[in-house]
């Protein structure tokens, strides 16, 4: 009956109630959209980093990540191969030679990271081959090079053009090789494209005069979420001469950003929550003031304060919950649609690509946030109803009845 | 034994810091089953007295006993419970709950007492039939005339079988015929169910029917006459 009373009271001033519900709906949609956009943005950034280069886990000789010395070869490769073969979560891995060098064309030159890779294996570890915009991701030749579009533009080279790579060898002399551009890639991260070039691993080893040695294992797991535990496991199985890093160790800044965004989301939640609280306080106060005489009558006939209090709180909860449900339905539909089609932010595309995110953001709605919203808004409604409800029960029945 | 007894009751209002003595030294005994009207000119203190008797307000000094227990000093919560169990109210402006139907309005007081729904419905319907308002059961107050609303209000006031019903100017907003019908109805309830009625009014139709008439003037009892 109390609930029935509350429900009918809400529809007495349907316009006001609809406005309140509407503001809750807008608030909920905004929360879901902001969160899922952030989430999508960060995930894309993380995913791009992982799949362009970082992979889920990397293994090096100890110290390599801090100081990429050419001589820091991975020791005992057979042992590592075997360990990886026995690790159930490991799906693919690729060995990489990594050296800093210089790439020159007839018109210009640029500092670059030379990646010597086995194309057949690397395909399963990084997605450069999917981002080839011109030519092929290697065709089997020894002197083939795949470079980024931004670098190609800087060097003013195109498919089939010759470029020369230079790099120090461990003995201190300079290794050099002439390559023919067979593929040009363009990842969502333009900065990445400017400094990474790919050549066959054998050629790299020859040019650098390092025999069969290499610097890095890039490993892909069945699920990126296992990276931390598998890395710890591998670290256990390998000796202290190695360093085993999960992508979290390699991308600390990105993870910091993820945390930061979560905190920001908390603040946004707080702001939206506060705005809704004041909206509800305002609406419920108006509704209490309009009903002073009626509340006086309820008191006179013996309705207890607690019931009057609850009636007001129920009214606010009904407003909040119906707004939340409606908002979640609409917000869910919206984010799911956007998750399929993406939000085209090409106007900001330049800044986005230097962030390492494509110009189309695919929002990801997290269950966490959905649940937080689902519980936050009714809670907020109760908070917003407390003051008006206290106002209502502070009324003296005689004064309330007299009030016209 | 008297049902209600007041002892040297004073009520002083503060009107912007100026004390207004609305009731002076009221000593009154009311017995079970009375049909009593408090009359007097405007501002004489009728409503004030009714509010005190109805436990809606507290006296500035003096005591008010209900069956020998002083309820003028009770706390709000206890007063509320006292009203719920012993009193019924009828207001000048009917004051039904606008979002509830006639039936629900009558059920509402029973709900506050925790009476189960089935019993509530039965009892409300029976009473409505008795008061000849059963055809109004599913109407909301704004779909009823003033007289109809006030009959529903009477039903609401008596459905919990209160000891006393207090009615402040119950006929002020009604036309003469409607007012008479309503008053006869209440008289019938008084006689059939032995419910004590206390009215405040300066309406002749109310005063005519009074079994006991108290006339207030300037906050004092000027005349107390039983017919
Ligand atoms: N809340 C209040 N504050 C100050 N003065 C009040 C208050 N209520 C009543 N009074 C004063 O107390 C006196 C008695 O008022 P009361 O309402 O009891 O009279 P009444 O006999 O019911 O009058 P009416 O016939 O107009 O209803 C009046 O002088 C009135 O102005
Ligand atoms: Mg009055």
């Amino acid at each position: 009956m109390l609930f029935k009373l509350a429900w009918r009271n809400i529809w007495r001033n349907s316009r006001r109630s609809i406005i309140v519900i509407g503001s809750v709906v807008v608030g909920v949609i905004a929360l879901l959209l902001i969160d899922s956009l952030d989430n999508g943005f960060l995930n894309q950034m993380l995913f791009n980093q992982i799949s362009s280069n970082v992979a889920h886990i990397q293994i090096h000789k100890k110290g390599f990540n801090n100081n990429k010395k050419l001589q820091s070869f991975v020791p005992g490769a057979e042992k590592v191969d075997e360990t990886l073969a026995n690790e159930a979560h490991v799906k693919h891995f690729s060995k990489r030679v990594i050296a800093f060098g210089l790439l020159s064309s007839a018109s210009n030159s640029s500092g670059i990271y030379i990646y010597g890779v086995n194309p057949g294996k690397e395909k399963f570890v990084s997605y450069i081959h999917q981002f080839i915009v011109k030519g092929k991701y290697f065709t089997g030749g020894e002197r083939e090079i795949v470079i980024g579009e931004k670098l190609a533009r800087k060097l003013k080279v195109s498919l089939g053009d010759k470029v020369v790579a230079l790099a120090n060898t461990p003995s201190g002399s300079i290794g050099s090789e002439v390559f023919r551009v067979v593929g040009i890639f363009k990842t969502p991260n333009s900065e990445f494209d400017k400094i990474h070039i790919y050549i066959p691993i054998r050629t790299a080893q020859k040019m650098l005069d390092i025999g069969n040695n290499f610097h890095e294992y890039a490993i892909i797991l069945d699920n990126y979420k296992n990276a931390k535990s598998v890395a710890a496991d591998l670290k256990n199985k390998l000796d202290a001469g190695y360093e085993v890093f999960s992508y979290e160790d390699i991308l600390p800044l990105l993870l910091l950003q993820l945390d930061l965004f979560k905190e920001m989301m908390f603040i946004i939640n707080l702001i939206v929550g506060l705005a809704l609280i004041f909206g509800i306080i305002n609406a419920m106060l108006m509704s209490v003031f309009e009903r002073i005489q009626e509340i006086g009558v309820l008191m006179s006939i013996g309705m207890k304060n607690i019931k009057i209090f609850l009636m007001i709180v129920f009214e606010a909860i009904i407003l909040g919950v119906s707004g939340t449900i409606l908002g979640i339905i609409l917000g869910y539909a919206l984010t799911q649609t956007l998750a399929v089609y993406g939000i085209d932010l090409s106007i900001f595309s330049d800044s986005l690509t230097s962030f390492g995110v494509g110009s189309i953001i695919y929002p990801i709605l997290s269950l966490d946030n959905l649940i937080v919203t689902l519980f936050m808004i009714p809670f907020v409604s109760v908070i917003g109803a407390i003051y008006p409800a206290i106002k209502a029960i502070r009324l003296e029945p005689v004064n309330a009845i007299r009030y016209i | 034994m008297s049902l209600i007894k007041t002892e040297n009751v004073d009520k002083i209002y503060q009107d912007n810091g100026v004390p207004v003595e609305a009731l002076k030294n009221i000593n009154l005994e009311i017995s079970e089953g009375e049909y009593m009207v408090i009359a007097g000119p405007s501002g004489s203190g009728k409503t004030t007295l009714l509010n005190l008797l109805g436990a809606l307000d507290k006296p500035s000094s003096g005591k008010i006993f209900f069956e020998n227990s002083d309820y003028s000093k009770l706390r709000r919560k206890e007063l509320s419970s006292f009203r719920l169990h012993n009193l019924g109210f009828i207001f000048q402006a009917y004051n039904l709950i606008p979002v509830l139907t006639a039936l629900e309005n009558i059920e509402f007081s029973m709900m506050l007492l925790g009476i189960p729904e089935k019993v509530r419905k039965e009892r409300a319907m029976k009473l409505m039939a008795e008061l000849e308002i059963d055809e109004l059961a599913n109407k909301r107050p704004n779909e009823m005339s003033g007289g109809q609303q006030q009959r529903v209000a009477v039903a609401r006031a008596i459905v919990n079988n209160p000891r006393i019903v207090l009615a402040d100017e119950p006929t002020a907003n009604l036309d003469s015929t409607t007012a008479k019908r309503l008053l006869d109805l209440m008289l019938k309830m008084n006689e059939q169910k032995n419910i004590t009625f206390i009215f405040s009014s300066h309406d002749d139709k109310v005063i005519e029917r009074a079994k006991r008439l108290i006339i207030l003037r300037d906050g004092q009892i000027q005349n107390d006459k039983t017919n």
Side-chain angles (χ1 to χ4, degrees), chain B residues 52-64:
Chain B
L52 291 179
L53 298 176
L56 292 170
D57 208 353
K58 295 177 185 183
S60 307
S61 66
K63 291 175 176 171
I64 306 177

Side-chain angles (χ1 to χ4, degrees), chain A residues 1 8 299 393 395 398, chain B residues 51 56 76 83 99 104 111:
Chain A
M1 189 100 171
R8 293 199 191 154
M299 288 174 160
I393 62 174
L395 292 169
V398 242
Chain B
N51 286 343
L56 292 170
R76 274 185 69 150
R83 290 195 298 267
V99 293
E104 289 164 344
M111 184 209 75

Side-chain angles (χ1 to χ4, degrees), chain B residues 116-165:
Chain B
E117 184 166 354
K118 213 172 152 256
V119 183
R120 277 191 335 232
K121 277 234 153 54
E122 250 167 48
R123 222 203 268 177
M125 290 304 286
K126 196 169 153 238
L127 184 62
M128 287 177 95
E130 225 177 304
L131 303 187
E132 292 165 32
I133 49 172
D134 37 352
E135 75 279 9
L136 301 175
N138 295 315
K139 289 200 166 157
R140 298 242 185 136
N142 62 2
E143 299 163 325
M144 294 184 248
S145 72
Q148 289 173 328
Q149 287 185 58
Q150 200 62 309
R151 285 163 161 267
V152 174
V154 170
R156 176 177 71 179
I158 65 176
V159 73
N160 280 340
N161 297 318
R163 307 291 294 276
I164 308 165
V165 170

Side-chain angles (χ1 to χ4, degrees), chain A residues 1-2 4-12 291 293-294 296-308 311 392-399 401-402 404, chain B residues 13 47-48 51 54-57 76-77 80-81 83-85 87 89 91 93-101 104-105 107-109 111-114 120 140 156:
Chain A
M1 189 100 171
L2 214 52
K4 196 200 290 185
L5 200 60
W7 172 259
R8 293 199 191 154
N9 278 331
I10 282 175
W11 299 112
R12 276 160 91 161
R291 282 188 283 164
Q293 208 185 357
E294 193 179 317
V297 170
L298 291 174
M299 288 174 160
S300 304
I301 63 177
M303 189 166 176
K304 293 211 175 65
N305 279 350
I306 177 76
K307 287 195 174 164
I308 292 174
M311 179 181 79
I393 62 174
R394 286 258 172 88
L395 292 169
E396 288 289 341
V398 242
N399 296 333
I401 299 168
R402 202 193 309 273
I404 300 180
Chain B
Y13 290 113
T47 297
T48 305
N51 286 343
L56 292 170
D57 208 353
R76 274 185 69 150
K77 207 173 153 183
S80 165
S81 169
R83 290 195 298 267
L84 178 62
H85 286 94
L87 306 181
F89 290 88
F91 305 92
Y94 330 131
N95 290 333
L96 298 175
I97 299 161
V99 293
L100 298 182
T101 63
E104 289 164 344
N105 261 287
E107 272 188 71
F108 191 78
S109 340
M111 184 209 75
L112 295 178
L113 274 181
R120 277 191 335 232
R140 298 242 185 136
R156 176 177 71 179

Side-chain angles (χ1 to χ4, degrees), chain A residues 70-316:
Chain A
L70 189 57
Q71 297 91 325
S72 298
F73 307 127
V74 178
E78 297 81 16
K79 187 184 162 196
V80 180
D81 284 351
E82 198 189 308
T83 312
L84 291 179
N86 289 328
E87 184 69 55
H89 291 294
V90 172
K91 284 277 157 216
H92 304 283
F93 64 86
S94 170
K95 298 169 184 176
R96 293 165 172 173
V97 167
I98 301 170
F100 190 71
L102 195 73
L103 193 67
S104 310
S105 69
S107 55
N108 207 345
S109 57
S110 189
I112 38 118
Y113 275 110
I114 299 168
Y115 272 70
V117 297
N118 176 341
K121 299 237 161 159
E122 186 67 24
K123 266 186 179 177
F124 294 106
V125 173
S126 62
Y127 67 2
I128 300 299
H129 62 283
Q130 289 173 8
F131 283 94
I132 298 290
V133 289
K134 263 189 209 160
K136 289 233 154 59
Y137 185 69
F138 299 107
T139 61
E142 235 179 82
R143 309 267 190 83
E144 292 179 348
I145 187 166
V146 173
I147 67 174
E149 193 191 44
K150 202 152 180 181
L151 183 63
R153 220 179 301 147
K154 186 177 175 194
L155 299 180
K156 300 201 176 73
V157 295
S158 187
L159 280 187
D161 287 352
K162 277 183 186 163
V163 287
V164 177
L166 294 174
N168 282 316
T169 67
S171 61
S173 58
I174 290 184
S176 74
E177 194 65 76
V178 181
F179 293 92
R180 195 173 290 279
V181 177
V182 292
I184 294 175
F185 61 86
K186 185 181 182 206
T187 70
N189 185 344
S190 56
E191 294 308 302
F192 178 90
D193 298 356
K194 213 159 80 180
I195 55 170
H196 291 80
I197 64 105
Y198 296 86
I199 57 175
I201 189 166
R202 292 246 157 269
T203 318
Q205 284 164 338
K206 233 184 275 169
M207 173 181 133
L208 297 168
D209 195 19
I210 56 172
N212 271 335
N213 286 310
F214 61 96
H215 303 100
E216 179 171 281
Y217 276 95
I219 302 161
I220 290 294
L221 307 176
D222 48 0
N223 189 333
Y224 75 98
K225 286 178 182 146
N226 295 326
K228 212 170 178 161
S229 65
V230 174
D233 193 36
L234 289 173
K235 201 177 281 178
N236 254 336
K237 289 177 179 162
L238 299 171
D239 63 55
Y242 299 91
E243 57 185 27
V244 183
F245 288 133
S246 73
Y247 68 89
E248 295 185 13
D249 304 321
I250 298 162
L251 302 168
L253 268 176
L254 192 57
L255 283 145
L256 201 72
Q257 236 167 336
L258 265 162
D259 278 349
L260 216 76
F261 267 110
K262 268 183 201 149
E263 276 159 36
M264 223 171 74
M265 215 38 232
F266 176 76
I267 292 170
I268 292 173
N269 266 300
L270 210 69
I271 293 170
V272 173
L274 272 178
L276 290 180
I277 285 180
F278 282 106
I280 286 180
I281 289 180
N282 178 45
M284 294 314 297
L285 266 185
M286 287 206 297
S287 129
V288 165
F289 283 138
E290 280 170 9
R291 282 188 283 164
I292 285 184
Q293 208 185 357
E294 193 179 317
I295 292 167
V297 170
L298 291 174
M299 288 174 160
S300 304
I301 63 177
M303 189 166 176
K304 293 211 175 65
N305 279 350
I306 177 76
K307 287 195 174 164
I308 292 174
F309 189 92
L310 282 179
M311 179 181 79
I312 308 278
V313 169
F314 276 162
E315 288 177 29

